[in-house]
Structures are given as structure tokens and as C-alpha cells.
Amino acid sequence: MPLINMKAPTKIHIAALILAFFSILPGWSQGRIIAKSDSKGSYRGGDFLKGNVRIRQGTTIIYCDSAYFIKEANMLELHRRVRILDGDSVTITAARAKYNTKGGIIELRGNVVYKQLGRVTLFTNFLDYDRNRGYARYFNGGKLVDSTSVLTSQRGYFDKPNNLTSFGGNVKGTNPEWSMESDTLQYNSLTRIVHFLKPTKVVNNQGNVSEYETGTYNTFSKQSTLRDGKFETESFIVIAETIVMNEATKSYSARGKVFMQSKTDDTIVTGEHAIFDQANGLTKVYENALMKKPAGGGDTLFLKADTLISIDPDPEDETKKRLLAYFNVKVYKNDFQGKADSLAYVNADSTINFYGDPVLWALGTQLTADTLSLVTANNAIQQLKLLTNGYIITQDTLFNFNQIKGRHITTYFRENKIHKIDVQGNGESLYYVLEENDSKVTGINMVTCANMLVRFQDGLLKTIRFDMKPEGKFYPPHLITTKESQLKGFDWRFDEKPKKEELFIAAPPAPSASATPERSE
């Protein structure tokens, strides 16, 4: 019966690779250009260099097989085996390149490889860089690689003045710990937040899957905020409109049409808000919380409350598990219904305790007490203890109310039907005596005693045994009034019995969070 125990969801560690990507923006030196080559000449009004070309501008050195400098256009064209060194850390190679020395725009084409020593390497066929604006981009496909991760996309953008790095079009990331698919993501190096702007899917090395429409990841606080998200592991599924995860505190929350499903026993929990405290083994679902658990034989147990709390402090010790439900608790099963102010389930002894004006109904029988304690086994009721001021009301075939009261009452079930009732202390009973064919009332028996034992057959009263100085009265039909037909405290509350359809009023449906990454051509 415990709620789904939420374990750590899939983590996102793409930020380090993106940060390295942002840092590879060329920092080419400014200043006077000095060129050397094996031979020099003029061509179409410009200077032509050929053979072991070496061009230097500040700390930036360019090597290629040939170069053509058009002075009027301030354009330097580089051909074959282009290699650019920027200080000791950056090396760029390409088949060819164009460099506008005045405008500061560099275009690299063909097998472009951008390496930053010890950090990251970019592979693409098209890389442009605007030195003056601090803006760079690659297009028609690119791959970013560091020591552990690989990221590919159709487009990549570097906007240094605005501290933004963006990737678009069939974005994929891989790492020994995870893989990621998206269409658009963006990183702000000032806020240190990664923005996932289109449907994204992340799978970790344990097979756990997270899917979401949009989201953010704060690389400083280690907190993720996912919109229309879904987590799926080997044991459970969690879906919500908003999911917030904090890796540092191991705490997670979900908001808006929360849907959780256990794959091990098909238990489903829904609500508007959920909190998962992994460190303390605490799961809390509140605001219109509803749990649905298969109960065998095609039946389902429904539990609804303002708040549901699952406590699982030690995953290795099943006996420490507990489930709490409080305020406006309602329980529904085909052969069993109930309501109370609060409820507590203890896994160690499979006992459900109902508190706060509890009332239960089982096959036409109503049971009330200050506290009701229900013992279950194998999805079936074994015992129901009525602790303090126990009161049981059953209806006979003529819809008369047979009643039993006592200080403490234990009701025993067999095959989900009441088998016998044991009353201990202040016993009182009132039952209608019917003719042999149960067609007519012949009177009422009212008995008081210390203890009594009541036996049932097919859910109907069969015999009563009275112990310790029983005192009884018999009232024939013509003497039966309201006073004689009801024990003190009689309250038939059948109209309060939960109905299955009532449990779903305003309950959030299962969201269709099936985020599938879009593809851009």
C-alpha cells in the first residue's frame, strides 16, 4: 500500500561541455600582418603567396600552401592545409579560409577542426567568426568533443557579448553516464543556466529516461526545472507539468497534474503537487491526492485525501515503511468503503489505522469507533478492530437495523465477508427476530452484557453468545417504537459512503507527456 518511492531521476551534465564550447571563441591578435612564403607575386591587383606560407599577426600565426591578399577589399584568402595557431592553446585547421582583415570576419571551410588544448575540440565544415562583434557560428553540422562527452548539432552559435551559446537542429549529446536528444538548447555563461527550448530526451546509463517539452538547468545550484516532464525508470513513471530537481540536496518536486505509477505493482498516485526528499526517504503528494492500487480479483483500492505521505527511511528494511493520509480521507473498494479525518498504514504489520470520526462500510455493514484498526493480508481484510465506542450496524433481509455496541470490538473476516464479531466490555446488542422464511418481524431482542460473540453466515447475522450476566428484553412488534429500535448513539450514515465516481472529481488526469524531440532540417 505504500506510495511510490521516488529515487534519484536522470541527471543532466551537459553544462561542462557547453561552457567549454563557449570558451573556444577565437581571440586572434590584432595588429600589423607579416607574411613569408617560398614565392611571391601579384594577381588581380593583390599579393599572391605560394609555398610554405606563414602569416603572423600579433600572437596569431597562420600556415597554408597558398594565400591571396586583396588590398582593396582587405580580404585574405587561404588555400590548402590551412592551420592557425593562437598562442599556445588554440589550433585550427581547415581546407580553406577567408579573412576580412578590416571587418574582422573569418570564414573557415572544409574539414574544420578547432582544438583548445586540454578542453574541447570542434569538428565542422563551416565555421564563421566575427572578431569585432564577438560572434561565431557553425552550420550544416558540427561535433563538439571533450574528454568524456560528445555533442552534435546542425547549428552552433557563439554570442560572447550576450554570454550566450546556442545549439539547434537535431542536437545530440553522449557521455558514459547519459545520452541526450533535443532540437534547441542555449547556455548563458553569466547566469550559468542551460535552457532546453524544445522537446528533450535524456537517458542515463541505468536506462532511466527523462523527457520534457522545455526546461532549464542551473550549473551553479545544480537545480533543474522541467516543463511538461516525464521520468521513467525500471520501477516507476513520474509525469507533471513542472518538475524541479536539486542534485545538491537530493530533493525533487512536481507541480500540476502530477501522475506517478509503480511498474512493480501498477499503483498509480495523482495530485497537484508532490515533494520527494530522497535523503530521508519521504514522498509527499498533496492537493486532491488520489492513490489507485490493484487489489486482486480485478478489483482496485482507491485512497483519496488532501495529503498522502510515504515514509521509507531504509530501503533495505521493508518494516519501516509507512503511509500517512490526512484530512478528508476516503477509501473505496468494491466490497469495502470508508472515510475518516486521517489514516496511517504501517508496513510492518499490514495495519491501517483510521482516526477522526472514522466510519467503514463492508457489504451493507456500517462500523464506527473512536479509532478503527484494519489488518490486511494478501490484499484481503483479516480483522477490523473498533477501539473505544465501537458501534456496528447491519441490515437484515427486510432492511431492519441490527446493532452491536461495545468498548472494544474485533470483527473477523473470511473471504472478504464478516465471519464473527467479538465484543469486549459494555456489550449491547439489538437485533430483529424474523419468521423462519424471513418474511415478517416477530419482535426485537435487546441484550446488555460484558462480552459477546456474534457469528455470521453469508454476511448475515446467525447466532449471538452473551457472556457475564446478560440482561435482555424482548419487544413484540406492537411495542416497537423508535426508542426501542435504536441503541444509544445510533447514526446510519449510508449517504456518506464514498462513491467511486466522487473520487475522480477534479482529480488530475494522467498527462500525455510523451515529449519526442523535434527535428529541424
Side-chain angles (χ1 to χ4, degrees):
M1 189 169 178
L3 281 173
I4 299 166
N5 184 25
M6 177 75 171
K7 303 298 184 183
T10 305
K11 299 177 182 178
I12 304 168
H13 294 299
I14 197 73
L17 182 59
I18 297 175
L19 181 61
F21 190 9
F22 183 81
S23 69
I24 71 172
L25 281 176
W28 293 357
S29 302
Q30 301 283 349
R32 180 168 170 261
I33 297 176
I34 302 173
K36 294 182 179 181
S37 63
D38 292 343
S39 61
K40 299 180 181 179
S42 298
Y43 178 68
R44 293 189 301 179
D47 295 330
F48 181 74
L49 307 177
K50 185 177 180 180
N52 297 316
V53 177
R54 183 177 185 274
I55 301 173
R56 185 183 185 94
Q57 186 177 28
T59 59
T60 301
I61 303 174
I62 302 173
Y63 299 91
C64 61
D65 284 0
S66 61
Y68 176 48
F69 182 63
I70 308 172
K71 294 182 180 179
E72 292 183 358
N74 295 301
M75 179 65 68
L76 178 62
E77 294 183 0
L78 311 172
H79 298 278
R80 299 186 62 186
R81 295 190 294 179
V82 177
R83 183 162 60 100
I84 303 171
L85 305 180
D86 186 31
D88 296 328
S89 61
V90 175
T91 301
I92 308 171
T93 59
R96 59 191 181 279
K98 288 185 178 181
Y99 176 28
N100 186 316
T101 58
K102 184 176 182 180
I105 298 175
I106 304 154
E107 299 176 356
L108 297 116
R109 299 292 183 267
N111 298 320
V112 180
V113 179
Y114 193 119
K115 291 184 179 180
Q116 188 174 42
L117 184 64
R119 298 200 65 179
V120 67
T121 302
L122 171 65
F123 300 89
T124 184
N125 282 313
F126 302 88
L127 177 63
D128 294 346
Y129 176 55
D130 187 330
R131 295 174 57 190
N132 296 336
R133 295 170 56 196
Y135 179 85
R137 66 167 184 155
Y138 69 76
F139 52 95
N140 292 343
K143 179 169 70 172
L144 190 65
V145 180
D146 68 6
S147 60
T148 60
S149 304
V150 177
L151 186 145
T152 61
S153 66
Q154 289 298 307
R155 302 176 300 278
Y157 304 91
F158 312 78
D159 185 354
K160 203 162 190 176
N162 293 309
N163 304 289
L164 292 177
T165 303
S166 303
F167 301 91
N170 197 21
V171 182
K172 293 184 179 181
T174 58
N175 179 282
E177 295 184 0
W178 50 259
S179 64
M180 182 271 296
E181 296 181 24
S182 185
D183 183 78
T184 305
L185 63 87
Q186 188 178 82
Y187 176 68
N188 188 307
S189 62
L190 185 63
T191 63
R192 300 175 68 176
I193 294 176
V194 181
H195 298 265
F196 299 91
L197 305 178
K198 289 290 183 69
T200 301
K201 179 178 180 180
V202 180
V203 182
N204 71 6
N205 56 5
Q206 296 177 341
N208 299 339
V209 180
S210 59
E211 299 178 78
Y212 38 93
E213 293 295 316
T214 60
T216 61
Y217 176 65
N218 189 310
T219 62
F220 178 75
S221 66
K222 307 300 181 185
Q223 179 166 297
S224 302
T225 301
L226 312 179
R227 310 294 181 187
D228 294 322
K230 173 183 177 182
F231 288 125
E232 182 170 1
T233 72
E234 183 180 358
S235 58
F236 66 83
I237 298 172
V238 177
I239 300 173
E241 291 181 342
T242 301
I243 300 174
V244 178
M245 309 179 299
N246 192 301
E247 296 176 27
T249 62
K250 303 297 182 184
S251 61
Y252 316 94
S253 65
R255 178 184 296 270
K257 297 180 180 179
V258 179
F259 173 91
M260 300 186 293
Q261 181 175 12
S262 169
K263 292 183 177 181
T264 56
D265 61 5
D266 285 330
T267 296
I268 294 175
V269 180
T270 59
E272 287 299 325
H273 304 273
I275 297 173
F276 315 102
D277 182 352
Q278 187 183 2
N280 296 303
L282 180 71
T283 301
K284 178 179 179 181
V285 181
Y286 58 102
E287 192 174 330
N288 205 27
L290 175 65
M291 183 182 76
K292 297 182 288 184
K293 179 179 175 64
D299 199 2
T300 301
L301 173 66
F302 296 86
L303 172 61
K304 186 173 185 178
D306 292 346
T307 301
L308 297 175
I309 297 178
S310 176
I311 302 172
D312 185 10
D314 185 359
E316 302 299 323
D317 189 351
E318 292 285 326
T319 63
K320 294 183 179 180
K321 287 184 178 181
R322 287 178 290 161
L323 171 65
L324 308 178
Y326 49 88
F327 306 139
N328 303 311
V329 174
K330 292 182 180 180
V331 178
Y332 181 91
K333 194 169 171 284
N334 286 340
D335 56 2
F336 170 78
Q337 299 83 40
K339 61 177 294 187
D341 178 71
S342 58
L343 172 155
Y345 173 79
V346 181
N347 199 64
D349 55 9
S350 298
T351 300
I352 308 173
N353 295 313
F354 297 82
Y355 306 99
D357 193 26
V359 53
L360 302 179
W361 296 268
L363 298 174
T365 300
Q366 175 180 292
L367 307 101
T368 58
D370 290 358
T371 300
L372 297 176
S373 184
L374 186 66
V375 181
T376 64
N378 300 320
N379 291 322
I381 303 172
Q382 300 295 309
Q383 296 181 24
L384 176 57
K385 298 178 181 180
L386 290 70
L387 306 177
T388 309
N389 298 319
Y391 203 128
I392 300 175
I393 304 174
T394 64
Q395 282 189 299
D396 61 21
T397 56
L398 298 180
F399 301 103
N400 299 302
F401 296 111
N402 294 320
Q403 301 153 56
I404 297 173
K405 289 181 59 179
R407 184 186 302 118
H408 299 303
I409 302 175
T410 302
T411 304
Y412 297 87
F413 289 78
R414 180 179 293 176
E415 296 180 353
N416 285 327
K417 293 181 181 180
I418 295 177
H419 171 58
K420 65 179 180 179
I421 297 174
D422 187 7
V423 180
Q424 297 293 319
N426 300 333
E428 297 182 55
S429 73
L430 182 155
Y431 65 94
Y432 285 78
V433 181
L434 307 180
E435 290 184 345
E436 190 171 336
N437 59 3
D438 292 349
S439 63
K440 186 178 180 179
V441 175
T442 61
I444 288 179
N445 259 334
M446 188 179 295
V447 180
T448 60
C449 63
N451 306 320
M452 66 179 68
L453 183 65
V454 185
R455 295 187 182 276
F456 289 76
Q457 184 174 351
D458 296 327
L460 299 176
L461 188 149
K462 184 180 180 183
T463 63
I464 303 178
R465 190 186 76 195
F466 305 101
D467 297 328
M468 299 181 64
K469 299 179 180 180
E471 296 181 3
K473 292 182 180 180
F474 179 81
Y475 296 92
H478 66 280
L479 294 180
I480 298 175
T481 64
T482 300
K483 180 179 179 181
E484 282 74 34
S485 64
Q486 297 179 358
L487 297 177
K488 185 178 180 180
F490 176 87
D491 186 8
W492 182 243
R493 301 165 63 181
F494 196 77
D495 58 340
E496 299 179 32
K497 186 169 71 169
K499 297 179 176 60
K500 185 176 180 179
E501 58 271 17
E502 293 176 349
L503 303 180
F504 294 95
I505 296 177
S512 58
S514 57
T516 301
E518 297 178 359
R519 298 288 179 257
S520 295
E521 298 299 328

